[in-house]
C-alpha cells in the first residue's frame, strides 16, 4: 500500500505531510513512558508485516496490521507507523521520503479512527469483542485503500482506474487482517489484558 516517489502531485504531498506532522505531534504528546515499549513492538510488527508485498500499479499489496496498531495505541499509531515507514523507505526503498507523509496518513489515520470506533468494545464479552476485532482489522485496511485511491485520484484523473484496482486488490487483505486481529485480541485478552485500551 506504499505509494512510490514521483506518483503524487505536489499539493497532495504537502497536504499529506502537514496531516502527518499534526498526527505525529498529537501521538507523541499522548504516548506516555509506560506504553513506549509497546509502541516500539507494534512499530516493529508493522515494519515486518509490510515487508512481503506484491506490486499493484504505483502501489502494492501486503499485510499492514494498522488495525491492531491503532486499537492498542490510539493516536500513538501515528509516530509508530511513521518510524516504520521511514525505515522501510531508507532500507528497502518501499514508498519514499517525499511520500512519507501521505503514506503515514494513509495507514495511521484509519488506525486512529478504528481506535475510537472499536476500543470501547474490545474489553466486553467475547461475543461483542471478537466481531469488533474483525471489523477493526477489515475496516482499517478498507479505509487505507480508500485513502490510496483518493490520493491517486487527486493527483491525476487518469489514475481513477488504478485507484479502483488498488481498493479491489485489497479485499483479500481486509479479510486476512480481520482474522489476524481477532486472533491477536483473543490472545491478548487471555495473556495480557492490561495491554487493551481502558475504554
Amino acid at each position: 500500500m506504499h505509494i512510490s516517489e514521483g506518483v503524487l502531485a505536489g499539493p497532495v504531498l504537502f497536504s499529506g505531510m502537514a496531516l502527518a506532522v499534526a498526527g505525529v505531534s498529537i501521538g507523541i504528546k499522548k504516548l506516555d513512558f509506560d506504553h513506549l515499549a509497546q509502541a516500539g513492538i507494534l512499530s516493529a510488527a508493522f515494519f515486518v508485516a509490510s515487508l512481503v508485498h506484491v506490486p499493484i500499479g504505483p502501489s502494492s499489496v501486503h499485510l499492514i496490521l494498522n488495525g491492531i496498531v491503532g486499537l492498542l495505541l490510539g493516536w500513538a499509531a501515528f509516530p509508530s507507523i511513521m518510524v516504520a515507514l521511514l525505515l522501510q523507505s531508507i532500507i528497502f526503498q518501499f514508498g519514499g521520503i517525499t511520500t512519507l507523509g501521505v503514506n503515514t496518513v494513509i495507514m495511521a489515520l484509519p488506525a486512529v479512527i478504528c481506535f475510537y470506533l472499536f476500543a470501547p468494545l474490545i474489553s466486553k464479552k467475547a461475543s461483542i469483542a471478537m466481531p469488533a476485532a474483525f471489523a477493526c482489522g477489515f475496516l482499517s485496511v478498507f479505509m487505507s485503500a480508500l485513502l490510496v485511491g483518493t490520493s491517486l485520484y487527486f493527483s491525476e484523473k487518469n489514475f481513477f482506474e488504478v485507484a479502483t484496482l488498488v481498493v479491489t486488490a485489497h479485499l483479500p487483505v481486509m479479510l486476512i487482517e480481520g482474522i489476524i486481529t481477532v486472533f491477536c485480541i483473543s490472545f491478548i485478552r487471555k495473556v495480557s489484558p492490561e495491554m487493551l485500551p481502558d475504554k
Side-chain angles (χ1 to χ4, degrees), residues 71-122:
L71 201 55
L72 298 178
L73 295 179
W75 278 98
F78 261 93
S80 299
I81 287 175
M82 178 176 258
V83 168
L85 289 174
L86 177 63
L87 292 176
Q88 287 178 346
S89 67
I90 293 173
I91 298 172
F92 301 109
Q93 288 76 53
F94 291 171
I97 298 299
T98 62
T99 57
L100 180 62
V102 172
N103 284 331
T104 299
V105 172
I106 284 172
M107 298 182 205
L109 183 59
V112 174
I113 293 173
C114 283
F115 170 78
Y116 285 109
L117 288 177
F118 300 109
L121 305 176
I122 294 303

Side-chain angles (χ1 to χ4, degrees), residues 68 71-72 121-134 136 177-197:
I68 188 73
L71 201 55
L72 298 178
L121 305 176
I122 294 303
S123 299
K124 298 187 181 296
K125 59 184 180 181
S127 61
I128 295 174
M130 294 305 106
F134 179 86
C136 176
E177 293 259 355
I179 294 170
I180 290 175
T181 305
V182 168
F183 279 115
C184 289
I185 293 300
S186 177
F187 180 75
I188 292 171
R189 280 166 60 99
K190 291 178 182 175
V191 303
S192 186
E194 67 275 6
M195 287 180 63
L196 297 175

